Amino acid sequence: MTERPRPERIRCRPGAWWLAVATVCFGAFMGQLDASIVTLTYASLRTEFGAQLAAVEWVSLAYLLTLVALLIPVGRLADAHGRKLFYLYGFVVFTAASAACGLAPSLGALIGFRVLQAAGAAMMQANSVALVATSAPRARMRTALGVQAAAQALGLALGPTVGGALVSTLGWRWVFGVNVPVGVIALVAGHYLLPRTRIRHHAEGFDWPGFALLSAATTAGLLGVSAASGLPVPGWAVAGLFALCAAAAWAFAAHQRRAAAPLLDLSLLRRRAVSSGLVGALCGYLVLFGPLVLVPVVLSQAGYSELTAGAVLTALPAGFALAATTADRLLPPTLTDRGRCLLGAAVCTGTLAALLATPFSPAWLASLLALLGLGLGVFTPANNTLIMGAVPTASSGTGGGLVNMTRGLGTALGVALVTLALHLAPAHAALDGPRWALLVLLTAAAVTVTAAWLSPASGRTQPRQAQR
């Protein structure tokens, strides 16, 4: 239960921080691979367990609800007890739960193991951004966060391809089994290559009431959005979920102001770089994940195959990964993080406007999705740098948890709002369902431009001590 330092010969290497970033990329890659790969198992799960689609969807929904609810509490605990410790134990839980998912005897057991898997993923994801931010030199933080974002994009891009290959050849159980060898390798690498936490934010006790209120708010909100997206749920139930979300969020904020050891220091949200950055992160991931739902529907309606849809979709995360890893070398070094955010958000907005006005052919879609990915790849690392630069080092885990929670919410909203637009679009309106969905994404992109404009010229940089 104590963090061990890296071996001296590793810690003293000039590029030791790159080894730490590469290790964190294991978790970033696996988290997004798992998020995009599981939907490929739905048909097989329905056949094997004789279940309806509404029941099978809980394999993804239970994971997402648990992950979003746990990110801030786990980040808070990691700030107090050690980020390396929580990250490594997260891999243990995630890997063991993945093996259990692959051996699940029933759909109910699989959903339960997915909840446990999400707990492990939360322990990793809440600390991934914090570990990168505290390992890399301040001057290289944006580059390091870009590499981490590229690893996420790579996992997202490979998910449909790897998932389809595994399900069609070895079966759905290997979709979860593939996590086990990667998890073991990452666990060993993390033990030797990750620095221990040198600055901690100690607090007395754990804010259980705050955790319950935060869980209620996020769960009710995500369930409400999912229910409004076309599920056969009465309107009063959807309204009740949104009311519960609003009431729980208000109660959580009120409780945090008077709690002796609050789960979330609300003063962090009063920093303009943090608040505007989190809004931008949420809308950025909404824009990233919305097309993953929209494009297959559009191309399927036009008579194209799933293989074509998968190839077209790959352009989006590929562009993201390319920009996230090369922007520092190609953009002028004098361009600030705020300037990069504005540039990336403007490219996203212009691209979505072009998509709204162009035909839905594979060539056009692939070209414009690649450009959209480039814009997001420029925006996301710079936006994360502004956020983490404004968060005190002792609260890096909490800040990283906030970033990843907004990513999760943005992911859920991207899927749900596009589905809702397709479901509610008027049959004889001037804009069809896909155009209405693009209009939703365009609005979100415009919000990222506004958030970037409102962010300070540079985040308040906290002094960072060398990590051992």
Side-chain angles (χ1 to χ4, degrees), residues 34-57:
D34 193 76
S36 60
I37 202 175
V38 170
T39 55
L40 274 297
T41 67
Y42 283 4
S44 298
L45 291 175
R46 292 182 65 184
T47 301
E48 177 153 345
F49 296 122
Q52 297 295 320
L53 179 61
V56 170
E57 285 178 340

Side-chain angles (χ1 to χ4, degrees), residues 2 9 20 92 121 137-138 192 230 266 284 294 326 359 373 378 407 458 468:
T2 59
R9 64 181 180 277
V92 171
R138 178 68 181 96
Y192 288 103
L266 295 181
L294 178 61
T326 62
V378 171
R407 286 177 177 175
S458 60
R468 295 181 181 274

